[in-house]
Each structure stands twice: as structure tokens, then as C-alpha cells.
Amino acid sequence: MSATDGRTHRVTEWAYGSALAARTGHCAAVCGHVVVLCALVTPPGPPCRRCTLLP
């Protein structure tokens, strides 16, 4: 889930791994939204419509 818009976005493993390695705390979602990573205990928000439509 993105801490900025409260939606659940799809993030590729590569983008997530790169963000973890760089220790930036953010990465690009499939839809292009910059996702600010939040705690895994945060409940998921509503899904991003663009992420669900893109392959």
C-alpha cells in the first residue's frame, strides 16, 4: 500500500528490491505512481484501478 494515497499498488519485484537496496523508502508502481512504502502491518487499501488494468 502507498502511504501517500492509501491505495494498494502493484510493484514489480525488481522495483521493490531496488528500493530496498537503495534504502530510499519509495519505488515506482506499475501504473507509474511513486509508492512510499509503509509498514507491512498496515491494512491494504482499495486497489489502484490503473495497476489492475495494466499487465
Side-chain angles (χ1 to χ4, degrees), residues 2 5-6 11 14 18-19 21 26 30-31 37 42 46-48 50:
S2 173
D5 71 353
V11 176
W14 184 85
S18 296
H26 62 274
V30 173
C31 68
L37 305 176
T42 305
C48 168
R50 288 195 64 211

Side-chain angles (χ1 to χ4, degrees), residues 8-53:
T8 298
H9 292 273
R10 282 183 39 217
V11 176
T12 64
E13 287 183 42
W14 184 85
Y16 182 71
S18 296
L20 289 178
R23 298 180 184 252
T24 60
H26 62 274
C27 58
V30 173
C31 68
H33 180 81
V34 176
V35 176
V36 177
L37 305 176
C38 56
L40 294 176
V41 296
T42 305
C48 168
R49 290 189 67 195
R50 288 195 64 211
C51 282
T52 58
L53 295 175

